[in-house]
Amino acid sequence: MSNTKAWRSRKRTSKPNSRQKRNGLYLDANPGCQLCKKRKAVEAHHDLPRGHPDRYLWRYMRALCRKCHVIVHKPKTKVTIRIR
């Protein structure tokens, strides 16, 4: 799974890298969870796999709360996220 507890507990760097900046901008533009629509979004989810050339386009990203992001990454979970 991509976002383990150990990864979340790591302290953020004082100088964010380009991934952190891009995800931060996306979360600023989409403050609410796009799956449950109840909680604040804190993680950016990529719909496309690593290595795909369009992976970082905002149309293939989702702003999710931690709970929904874990659910999306769990195996055997069928969660449908509509791409506009």
Side-chain angles (χ1 to χ4, degrees):
M1 186 153 69
S2 64
N3 291 319
T4 62
K5 287 183 181 179
W7 179 85
R8 285 194 186 106
S9 66
R10 280 192 336 201
K11 190 172 184 175
R12 294 283 178 155
T13 59
S14 61
K15 297 178 182 176
N17 61 30
S18 61
R19 176 186 54 85
Q20 291 170 330
K21 287 178 187 175
R22 180 182 52 252
N23 291 350
L25 287 171
Y26 185 76
L27 292 174
D28 288 344
N30 301 284
C33 179
Q34 293 177 324
L35 191 60
C36 70
K37 299 185 183 354
K38 295 178 184 176
R39 292 179 285 276
K40 180 181 176 187
V42 292
E43 297 182 1
H45 172 71
H46 300 270
D47 292 332
L48 299 175
R50 286 187 179 106
H52 194 284
D54 294 334
R55 174 179 167 87
Y56 297 108
L57 294 178
W58 281 19
R59 66 187 291 184
Y60 300 113
M61 293 174 69
R62 299 289 165 253
L64 301 175
C65 63
R66 283 198 176 114
K67 188 174 182 178
C68 290
H69 200 202
V70 169
I71 290 170
V72 168
H73 280 283
K74 277 188 179 179
K76 298 182 183 178
T77 302
K78 292 187 178 183
V79 177
T80 305
I81 299 176
R82 286 183 260 167
I83 298 173
R84 297 178 197 173

